[in-house]
């Protein structure tokens, strides 16, 4: 088996990653949604970045294992490890990578290329 990641789009607003396990893709997406929140101390409203992202782990469990919402995580991970065998650790690294992408999106750490759309290398 093999695990390959393809980064189709990475930005603060939207990210799409394809994870191929044995050549079969699982698509992970994350979207930034601005949310207005009120500071309870000052009463002022501010905009916070909220990232809506699927769990790559859940997507893998749904695709490769017989799990439902009642399945204990430990049992689900054992099933996944049995299916993926030597590629289990690679799949968990892909899961961690998607978590880091979502975190960086929330912190607005990716460059905004809209100003340099004509030449993204500037």
């Amino acid at each position: 088996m093999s695990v390959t990641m393809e980064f189709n789009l990475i930005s603060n607003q939207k990210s799409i990653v394809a994870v191929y396990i044995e050549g079969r893709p699982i698509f992970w997406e994350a979207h930034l949604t601005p949310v207005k929140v009120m500071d309870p101390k000052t009463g002022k409203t501010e905009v916070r970045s909220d990232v809506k992202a699927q769990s790559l782990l859940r997507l893998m469990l749904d695709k490769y294992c017989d799990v439902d919402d009642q399945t204990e995580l430990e049992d689900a991970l054992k099933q996944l490890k049995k299916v993926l065998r030597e590629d289990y650790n690679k799949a968990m690294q892909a899961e961690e990578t998607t978590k880091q992408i979502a975190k960086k999106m929330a912190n607005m750490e990716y460059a905004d290329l809209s100003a340099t759309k004509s030449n993204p290398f500037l």
Side-chain angles (χ1 to χ4, degrees):
M1 296 184 99
S2 66
V3 177
T4 306
M5 294 185 77
E6 180 180 285
F7 300 94
N8 297 322
L9 174 66
I10 303 289
S11 74
N12 289 326
Q13 288 70 39
K14 183 178 182 179
S15 294
I16 302 171
V17 176
V19 178
Y20 294 89
I21 300 175
E22 275 293 296
R24 294 182 289 176
I26 298 174
F27 293 98
W28 175 85
E29 290 188 34
H31 302 270
L32 182 96
T33 306
V35 177
K36 289 185 181 181
V37 292
M38 184 183 295
D39 185 339
K41 294 179 182 176
T42 63
K44 293 183 180 180
T45 302
E46 58 184 38
V47 177
R48 185 186 78 199
S49 299
D50 187 26
V51 176
K52 304 287 185 200
Q54 303 163 305
S55 164
L56 180 62
L57 177 59
R58 183 60 198 219
L59 293 171
M60 290 187 292
L61 290 172
D62 287 345
K63 186 167 186 163
Y64 295 106
C65 302
D66 184 23
V67 296
D68 59 26
D69 291 338
Q70 306 305 317
T71 306
E72 294 289 327
L73 181 59
E74 185 178 330
D75 294 334
L77 291 175
K78 283 180 184 178
Q79 284 186 45
L80 188 62
K81 191 170 193 170
K82 194 174 193 178
V83 170
L84 297 181
R85 298 181 308 271
E86 69 274 359
D87 287 331
Y88 175 79
N89 288 336
K90 293 175 193 172
M92 292 300 100
Q93 287 175 345
E95 161 69 4
E96 186 59 33
T97 299
T98 58
K99 285 182 182 179
Q100 291 300 317
I101 291 169
K103 182 178 178 181
K104 287 183 176 188
M105 288 174 67
N107 293 331
M108 304 295 283
E109 292 182 27
Y110 292 111
D112 179 13
L113 299 178
S114 61
T116 58
K117 205 168 195 172
S118 61
N119 187 353
F121 299 106
L122 292 179

